[in-house]
Amino acid sequence: QKEVEQDPGPLSVPEGAIVSLNCTYSNSAFQYFMWYRQYSRKGPELLMYTYSSGNKEDGRFTAQVDKSSKYISLFIRDSQPSDSATYLCAMSVRNGTSGTYKYIFGTGTRLKVLA
Amino acid sequence: EAQVTQNPRYLITVTGKKLTVTCSQNMNHEYMSWYRQDPGLGLRQIYYSMNVEVTDKGDVPEGYKVSRKEKRNFPLILESPSPNQTSLYFCASRQGGPYNEQFFGPGTRLTVL
């Protein structure tokens, strides 16, 4: 079983729709939860991060974490064609021996917003 | 301009021919990392470095080497590349805590024949 599971899509929605993207995870040691956006032929860029259960809002984006269910979500309101990209969830966990942090990414969900 | 650069951007090579992919950042970041991205497997961490001379293995370190002799540079070395290392490689850097943004380079597409 993968530590992080993410539906690869593709997900096609009309412009203006509310988009829900989700990841589940199995490692309860994960401490930080992030969402990255990756446009075609580009490196990922950070959208949002959170470290506690609950919601965090930034403009049209809301990140939600439910640690009891090991489930995180990203909601996009009023979706735009420019939101068309691959969205990757990511989680970080501390290496107890070295004290460093490593990252585990989901496989990414490809989103297409139709004009 | 703050950025992470990688070279080369595209590389086709043959099995067993040693190669190095360079990564450089101009943001004075302490943390640097290498990832590979494959269809269906997503982005997987190869190695990371907390600072000069401090490196640690990620999830898929086999067949790769890294070094961090200077803060700005973090080269990825494939001593004897094999076809299963054909992939899209990204270098990234960040400053501060694990929740801080990782800045990714533009990627290096490697094909090993």
Side-chain angles (χ1 to χ4, degrees):
Chain A
Q1 182 194 5
K2 289 182 183 177
E3 283 189 281
V4 178
E5 299 274 2
Q6 184 175 11
D7 189 331
L11 181 62
S12 290
V13 300
E15 184 176 356
I18 296 175
V19 176
S20 172
L21 304 166
N22 311 296
C23 287
T24 58
Y25 62 96
S26 58
N27 188 348
S28 57
F30 286 139
Q31 295 172 284
Y32 297 97
F33 305 90
M34 293 144 280
W35 285 95
Y36 281 79
R37 178 175 61 196
Q38 185 177 20
Y39 290 113
S40 182
R41 301 182 188 280
K42 300 281 188 185
E45 53 181 355
L46 181 68
L47 271 178
M48 297 185 72
Y49 81 87
T50 185
Y51 54 86
S52 59
S53 282
N55 294 352
K56 182 177 181 180
E57 194 172 313
D58 184 1
R60 296 186 295 111
F61 299 91
T62 299
Q64 187 177 80
V65 174
D66 182 344
K67 287 189 175 181
S68 61
S69 301
K70 297 190 181 68
Y71 189 89
I72 70 170
S73 299
L74 177 70
F75 299 96
I76 307 174
R77 288 184 299 280
D78 188 25
S79 55
Q80 303 295 311
S82 58
D83 294 328
S84 298
T86 297
Y87 290 80
L88 303 117
C89 61
M91 308 179 190
S92 67
V93 59
R94 191 168 187 264
N95 181 320
T97 305
S98 65
T100 58
Y101 285 84
K102 70 173 190 176
Y103 293 79
I104 308 293
F105 281 77
T107 52
T109 300
R110 200 151 46 97
L111 171 67
K112 188 164 186 178
V113 181
L114 305 170
Chain B
E1 180 191 354
Q3 60 182 351
V4 178
T5 56
Q6 294 178 228
N7 281 294
R9 294 288 314 279
Y10 302 90
L11 178 61
I12 300 174
T13 189
V14 295
T15 299
K17 187 176 180 183
K18 181 179 178 180
L19 66 93
T20 299
V21 184
T22 64
C23 173
S24 184
Q25 50 94 4
N26 62 1
M27 296 167 279
N28 202 36
H29 287 169
E30 291 176 344
Y31 182 100
M32 296 186 74
S33 186
W34 274 104
Y35 296 87
R36 60 178 290 175
Q37 188 171 36
D38 303 287
L41 296 175
L43 209 58
R44 293 179 293 167
Q45 196 170 32
I46 303 171
Y47 269 97
Y48 57 102
S49 169
M50 290 301 294
N51 213 326
V52 175
E53 305 291 4
V54 181
T55 62
D56 208 348
K57 295 177 181 178
D59 280 336
V60 288
E62 296 79 20
Y64 304 95
K65 281 177 58 177
V66 293
S67 68
R68 187 93 181 271
K69 292 184 169 44
E70 302 168 283
K71 198 172 186 181
R72 62 183 291 129
N73 297 323
F74 191 43
L76 180 69
I77 303 155
L78 284 73
E79 296 268 2
S80 183
S82 62
N84 65 12
Q85 292 178 298
T86 292
S87 187
L88 179 59
Y89 290 87
F90 288 101
C91 179
S93 73
R94 67 161 168 81
Q95 184 68 347
Y99 44 82
N100 283 349
E101 179 171 5
Q102 285 196 83
F103 291 86
F104 282 81
T108 295
R109 185 162 293 281
L110 172 66
T111 301
V112 183
L113 302 174

